[in-house]
């Protein structure tokens, strides 16, 4: 075998291990010390060592174990290098214990879920939980995460460092919470995964590589949550919801890149395999007997798809789902969608009355879907002047050009 | 890990309470301390005199300045603390949530600067 070929194989193996095992290795390295940053540093040195060693000496039979051994040695070296002797002493003791434990186990235990629970702990700032999980479980770099979450790499880097410091200093445990607190705590983990997904989802055309990757990564996390917690209905519900949304990605834009609303989408463009998987997951979740936000949102997606496929109106059912969702998680976003469903059953005036009040929640004033929904309902009631004003605000707030063009079209149709 | 649970409470509330209510409040704190002692987590605790008894000292440029009153002028003041030794933040939060002060004020949970900090 020639050197370049050998080199490429070593790279491929390293990449594959990184993709599959990064989070597992970080979780295992950090579980005892709670020092995520040190675990990441040690692991990145181990990967660098692998890329130097494997092309020369061949890929090891168990690359994961090889990386872990090197990373542990690096971590101990780094701790030795620190000036704070007593701290290093304590860490060395903990790490040495871990080294023995690792040597005794041929299989590295999967503590990624415990790591996710640490990252999505209520004591961690809610806005940084999703970025933190993407970084420590999947190894994405701060620049890529920053670009997906529309912040600067420097700011994102700083916030990630601060969050890791908090885990270490505050003593946030790497543990799957006890039965009684699991539902609440799982909610923050699922919310973080969903936040990562919706950030990726804002680019339905899939032209933005960073965001498309983020969708794939969030699916990886959602599947991981289902795999590790197969009896948690909300984990199943979240994956179902994501699959339903993803199944219609191709139908959400026309060939020339224009935004296509659900009612006008071509069902032939939907991914039936994803829809089937989503339906099966929802069925499995409903058998577990605890309803929740993600299952309800998944069920709503399912109802919309069913209506579009069969042509049979099911808006009464949809309103009922929204009522339940609103009672469970009464956000303004839910209220807006519920109002739009009410319009289909009871008319636009009833829907306008059901809309949340912008005076009661100032955030609505900057929320595009609120103004777009209002504009649509006002158009239906014939209040064209007010509708025009609402469309203008919606257009001004939208950051996606295709959606902006769609709203502009609606506005000009109104002017005729 | 060691944590300090700091109870911040509205000091104006205490004098307004009836004698019976004050006794009930005291009993709740006693029971809380007792439970912590039984669980073997309590390292120490104290109730503080109201912030009207506080004096703030600063020594800038070698010149000390002494002022009457607490450092932060707010409605909620540090009224007492519990120093505990537990496994992790979850255990500390669990104790903090049982503190009577969590019901009528807030409890701040801070790790002690020790080996792992």
């Amino acid at each position: 075998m020639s050197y370049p070929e050998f080199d490429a194989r070593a790279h491929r193996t390293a990449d594959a291990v990184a993709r599959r095992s990064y989070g597992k290795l970080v979780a295992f390295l950090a579980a005892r010390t709670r020092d995520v940053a040190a675990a990441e540093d040690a692991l990145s040195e181990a990967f660098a060592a692998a890329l130097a060693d494997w092309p020369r000496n061949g890929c090891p039979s168990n690359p994961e174990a090889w990386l872990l051994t090197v990373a542990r040695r690096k971590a101990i070296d780094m701790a030795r290098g620190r000036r704070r002797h007593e701290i290093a002493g304590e860490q060395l003791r903990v790490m040495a214990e871990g080294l023995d434990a690792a040597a005794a186990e041929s299989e590295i235990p999967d503590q990624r879920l415990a790591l996710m629970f640490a990252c999505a702990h209520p004591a961690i700032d809610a806005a940084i939980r999703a970025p933190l999980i993407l970084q420590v479980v999947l190894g994405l770099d701060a620049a890529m995460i920053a670009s997906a979450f529309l912040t600067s790499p420097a700011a994102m880097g700083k916030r990630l460092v601060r969050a890791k410091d908090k885990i270490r200093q505050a003593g946030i445990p790497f543990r799957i919470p006890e039965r009684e607190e699991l539902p609440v705590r799982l909610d923050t983990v699922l919310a973080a995964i969903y936040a990562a997904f919706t950030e990726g989802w804002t680019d339905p055309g899939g032209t933005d590589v960073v965001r498309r990757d983020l969708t794939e990564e969030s699916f990886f996390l959602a599947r991981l949550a289902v795999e590790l917690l197969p009896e948690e209905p909300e984990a199943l519900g979240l994956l179902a919801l994501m699959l339903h949304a993803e199944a219609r990605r191709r139908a959400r834009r026309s060939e020339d890149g224009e935004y296509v609303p659900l009612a006008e989408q071509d069902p032939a463009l939907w991914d039936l395999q994803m829809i089937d998987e989503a339906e099966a997951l929802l069925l499995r979740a409903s058998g577990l007997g605890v309803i929740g936000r993600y299952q309800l949102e998944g069920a709503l997606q399912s109802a919309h798809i069913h209506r579009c496929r069969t042509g049979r109106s099911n808006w009464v059912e949809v309103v009922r789902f929204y009522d339940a969702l609103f009672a469970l998680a009464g956000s303004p976003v839910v209220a807006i969608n519920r109002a739009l469903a009410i319009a289909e059953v009871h008319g636009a005036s009833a829907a306008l009355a059901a809309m949340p009040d912008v005076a009661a929640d100032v955030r609505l004033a900057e929320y595009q879907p609120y103004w777009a929904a209002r504009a649509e309902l006002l158009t239906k009631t014939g209040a064209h002047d007010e509708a025009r004003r609402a469309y203008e605000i919606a257009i001004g707030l939208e950051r996606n050009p295709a959606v902006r063009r769609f709203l502009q079209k609606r506005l000009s149709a109104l002017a005729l | 890990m060691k944590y300090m649970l700091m109870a911040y409470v509205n000091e104006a509330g205490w004098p307004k309470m009836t004698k019976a209510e004050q006794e009930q409040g005291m009993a709740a704190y006693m029971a809380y301390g007792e439970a912590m002692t039984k669980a073997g987590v309590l390292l120490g605790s104290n109730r503080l005199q109201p912030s009207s008894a506080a004096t703030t000292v600063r020594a800038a440029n070698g010149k000390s300045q002494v002022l009457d009153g607490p450092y932060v002028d707010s409605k909620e003041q540090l009224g007492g603390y519990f120093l505990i030794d537990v496994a992790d933040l979850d255990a500390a939060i669990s104790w903090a949530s049982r503190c009577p002060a969590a019901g009528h004020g807030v409890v701040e949970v801070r790790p002690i600067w020790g080996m792992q900090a």
Side-chain angles (χ1 to χ4, degrees):
Chain A
M1 199 183 284
S2 69
Y3 276 117
E5 217 178 300
F6 207 56
D7 204 30
R9 205 175 65 136
H11 264 99
R12 271 202 309 278
T13 308
D15 277 350
V17 176
R19 180 81 178 76
R20 202 181 54 239
S21 314
Y22 183 87
K24 224 167 124 182
L25 293 168
V26 169
F28 190 72
L29 285 164
R32 283 156 221 264
T33 60
R34 294 186 188 127
D35 194 337
V36 176
E40 287 177 321
D41 289 347
L43 197 54
S44 90
E45 289 215 17
F47 273 106
L51 289 178
D53 183 277
W54 298 358
R56 265 188 289 127
N57 302 321
C59 296
S61 59
N62 186 345
E64 219 175 61
W66 191 98
L67 285 164
L68 184 62
T69 306
V70 174
R72 287 187 161 283
R73 232 175 269 137
K74 299 274 182 200
I76 290 173
D77 286 349
M78 281 185 231
R80 268 202 192 114
R82 276 181 213 145
R83 295 244 170 86
R84 299 174 296 172
H85 292 296
E86 71 273 64
I87 298 168
E90 169 66 11
Q91 283 197 337
L92 284 178
R93 189 186 58 74
V94 173
M95 271 187 277
E97 273 172 20
L99 204 54
D100 296 340
E105 296 153 2
S106 52
E107 183 80 3
I108 299 162
D110 193 345
Q111 291 169 311
R112 278 178 296 184
L113 195 59
L115 181 61
M116 280 199 260
F117 273 108
C119 293
H121 195 279
I124 299 286
D125 174 19
I128 198 70
R129 290 175 199 158
L132 190 59
I133 287 181
L134 288 169
Q135 175 151 83
V136 306
V137 180
L138 300 172
L140 304 189
D141 67 35
M144 191 249 184
I145 297 168
S147 138
F149 284 84
L150 302 177
T151 51
S152 77
M156 180 58 82
K158 240 183 247 164
R159 292 171 63 204
L160 286 167
V161 168
R162 204 185 303 139
K164 286 173 209 168
D165 283 346
K166 175 81 191 254
I167 290 179
R168 183 171 50 86
Q169 289 170 339
I172 290 175
F174 282 52
R175 166 168 23 87
I176 296 160
E178 306 288 333
R179 198 78 227 160
E180 75 235 43
E181 53 169 359
L182 186 61
V184 179
R185 293 286 310 280
L186 180 61
D187 208 44
T188 62
V189 172
L190 297 180
I193 297 173
Y194 193 47
F197 175 71
T198 51
E199 281 303 323
W201 199 72
T202 50
D203 174 43
T207 46
D208 185 336
V209 177
V210 171
R211 291 184 177 224
R212 195 178 56 222
D213 282 355
L214 208 52
T215 308
E216 277 171 33
E217 306 293 3
S218 50
F219 266 105
F220 182 86
L221 292 173
R223 287 190 186 284
L224 187 65
V226 166
E227 186 192 317
L228 299 173
L229 292 168
E231 300 291 307
E232 283 302 322
E234 279 294 270
L236 302 174
L238 174 63
L239 180 56
L241 169 62
M242 286 166 57
L243 282 164
H244 263 315
E246 189 63 13
R248 302 197 307 271
R249 179 182 288 275
R250 279 195 306 147
R252 269 200 296 275
R253 289 287 184 274
S254 67
E255 272 172 22
D256 41 9
E258 295 305 305
Y259 170 77
V260 185
L262 177 63
E264 291 158 31
Q265 285 174 14
D266 177 6
L269 292 173
W270 294 347
D271 187 321
L272 295 184
Q273 218 179 324
M274 283 192 191
I275 291 173
D276 286 347
E277 192 190 347
E279 296 292 284
L281 283 163
L282 286 174
L283 195 66
R284 216 173 106 196
S286 70
L288 294 165
V290 186
I291 198 68
R293 175 200 159 186
Y294 294 113
Q295 291 169 79
L296 278 169
E297 288 195 46
L300 274 162
Q301 297 272 343
S302 173
H304 287 316
I305 283 178
H306 191 69
R307 185 183 60 251
C308 293
R309 271 161 131 184
T310 61
R312 270 199 300 272
S313 168
N314 58 357
W315 286 108
V316 174
E317 192 189 353
V318 167
V319 170
R320 236 188 354 249
F321 277 137
Y322 274 123
D323 286 344
L325 188 59
F326 190 73
L328 207 68
S331 72
V333 182
V334 175
I336 292 165
N337 287 316
R338 178 170 163 268
L340 288 173
I342 286 173
E344 301 290 335
V345 182
H346 302 293
S349 300
L352 276 172
M355 281 285 274
D357 187 3
V358 71
D361 191 339
V362 287
R363 285 170 307 171
L364 285 174
E366 293 174 26
Y367 189 58
Q368 181 274 112
Y370 169 78
W371 293 104
R374 222 179 121 69
E376 203 181 308
L377 294 171
L378 286 166
T379 306
K380 281 185 188 156
T381 61
H384 285 192
D385 282 346
E386 269 188 276
R388 206 167 286 127
R389 215 174 58 86
Y391 269 128
E392 274 160 6
I393 297 172
I395 292 161
L397 290 171
E398 178 54 52
R399 72 183 191 209
N400 187 300
V403 175
R404 211 152 49 211
R405 281 196 300 275
F406 170 80
L407 291 169
Q408 269 156 350
K409 242 183 245 167
R410 289 271 165 127
L411 175 61
S412 46
L414 196 62
L416 288 176
Chain B
M1 282 182 72
K2 296 188 182 78
Y3 294 87
M4 175 92 95
L5 310 186
M6 291 173 281
Y8 286 86
V9 292
N10 182 357
E11 297 176 330
W14 181 258
K16 283 189 204 139
M17 286 160 80
T18 65
K19 188 112 189 356
E21 282 170 338
Q22 286 186 349
E23 272 167 15
Q24 213 171 29
M26 285 299 291
Y29 276 98
M30 293 288 282
Y32 178 61
E34 188 62 27
M36 283 181 144
T37 308
K38 281 250 166 65
V41 298
L42 191 63
L43 298 178
S45 88
N46 274 301
R47 182 185 179 190
L48 304 183
Q49 296 275 0
S51 63
S52 55
T55 309
T56 308
V57 181
R58 183 195 307 270
N61 307 323
K63 196 166 165 262
S64 62
Q65 193 189 19
V66 178
L67 288 170
D68 175 37
Y71 172 49
V72 181
D73 184 23
S74 81
K75 206 166 74 184
E76 254 110 23
Q77 290 289 342
L78 184 63
Y81 69 87
F82 298 86
L83 185 62
I84 60 171
D85 192 355
V86 291
D88 53 42
L89 182 64
D90 279 357
I93 289 173
S94 167
W95 279 111
S97 68
R98 296 179 184 122
C99 181
H104 59 94
V106 292
V107 179
E108 183 175 322
V109 179
R110 286 270 281 272
I112 298 296
W113 197 301
M115 297 287 268
Q116 295 191 25

